[in-house]
Amino acid sequence: MNQIVDAVNKVSPTTEKVMNDSVTFSPRRWKSGWPFHLRHVPPFRDDATASITRAEVFSFAADAVASGYDRDRVIDFIGAAFAYGAGQSQAVLPLQQFLRNKAKAASLLKTIPTLESKEPAAQYEALTKIGLPAKFASYIAYFLAGPQAAGEDKPLVICSNRAKIAGLEKDYDWSAADYGTYLAAVREARDSVDPELPLDAVEWAMRESVR
C-alpha cells in the first residue's frame, strides 16, 4: 500500500488530469487491420498517427450504452478502447488477431452488454474467460463503467507495473481473485491518503509514477 500512497503523493492526480490523459496510436494501422467479418469499422481517420484521450473513450462507451448496445456503437467503443490501451505498442497485432477470430469477437460483443449488472471483479472475469488478454479486459470494463467519482467502486485498469506497485505477486495473467485484490489495495491506499479521490485517479498516479 505504501507504494501506492507514494505514487499519489508524487503525481498529485486529479480527475481533469485523468480525463485528459492521451495516448498516441496509428488510426491507419487499426483501420487497415480491422476484420472484415465485423461488417463495421470504427471511425478511424486515415492518418499515420493521432491521439485519443480517456474522455474520448468514455464518450464512445457512453454512446454504446445509450444506444442500448447497438452493435455498431459497441464496435466503435471496442476500437477506441483498444486503440487507447495499445497505443503504439506491439499489442496491436494480437488484439487484431483476437478480433479476427469470429468466435472470440462474437463472444466479446455478446459479453459487453452483460457487464453492467456485475461487480468489477466479475466483469473482469467475464472478459478474460473469452480469451481477452487481462490488461485489455480491464480497459473494456473500466471505460464501459463510465467516469468515476469519489466513493464509487468501479473497474480499474491493471498492468504489470500497476500490479507490482499494488503488491501482487504475478505480473500478468491475473485471475479474478487477483484483480479483486488489486482493486482492494487501490481502495485502501486511496482511503488513507485522500478519500475524495476517484479510484481511477489513484490508478493513473500509479502508472504515471513509473514513467
Side-chain angles (χ1 to χ4, degrees):
M1 185 180 79
N2 289 339
Q3 284 186 278
I4 303 176
V5 172
D6 289 345
V8 172
N9 289 333
K10 176 182 178 181
V11 177
S12 299
T14 65
T15 297
E16 183 178 11
K17 290 178 181 178
V18 173
M19 296 294 278
N20 289 333
D21 185 74
S22 65
V23 170
T24 300
F25 72 105
S26 172
R28 185 177 299 161
R29 186 178 181 189
W30 277 105
K31 187 175 183 179
S32 63
W34 199 258
F36 291 114
H37 74 84
L38 288 174
R39 305 189 308 277
H40 175 75
V41 181
F44 295 122
R45 299 192 303 271
D46 192 25
D47 295 334
T49 59
S51 63
I52 187 168
T53 65
R54 288 198 184 195
E56 289 171 320
V57 184
F58 276 128
S59 180
F60 279 104
D63 287 346
V65 174
S67 72
Y69 297 100
D70 172 79
R71 186 178 184 278
D72 288 354
R73 300 291 77 75
V74 172
I75 289 173
D76 289 346
F77 160 64
I78 292 170
F82 281 2
Y84 178 93
Q88 294 179 304
S89 74
Q90 298 301 313
V92 174
L93 182 57
L95 288 172
Q96 290 177 332
Q97 290 172 337
F98 174 91
L99 292 173
R100 289 192 190 107
N101 183 307
K102 292 183 179 180
K104 289 183 177 181
S107 293
L108 180 57
L109 291 171
K110 183 178 179 181
T111 299
I112 283 176
T114 72
L115 296 180
E116 61 181 317
S117 65
K118 303 178 187 295
E119 293 298 314
Q123 294 183 36
Y124 171 84
E125 183 177 34
L127 290 162
T128 55
K129 189 180 293 184
I130 62 175
L132 191 60
K135 177 180 177 180
F136 294 94
S138 73
Y139 272 114
I140 291 290
Y142 166 70
F143 281 118
L144 196 66
Q148 301 191 7
E152 291 184 319
D153 285 329
K154 290 185 175 183
L156 297 174
V157 175
I158 189 171
C159 69
S160 57
N161 285 329
R162 294 173 177 90
K164 182 178 180 180
I165 292 172
L168 269 63
E169 293 183 3
K170 296 170 66 176
D171 59 6
Y172 69 100
D173 196 26
W174 304 277
S175 67
D178 293 331
Y179 186 68
T181 298
Y182 168 72
L183 296 178
V186 175
R187 189 183 311 112
E188 183 181 359
R190 186 278 310 273
D191 290 347
S192 73
V193 68
D194 185 355
E196 296 304 310
L197 275 178
L199 287 176
D200 66 342
V202 179
E203 166 265 305
W204 179 80
M206 293 163 69
R207 198 279 308 275
E208 290 295 301
S209 71
V210 294
R211 277 194 165 188

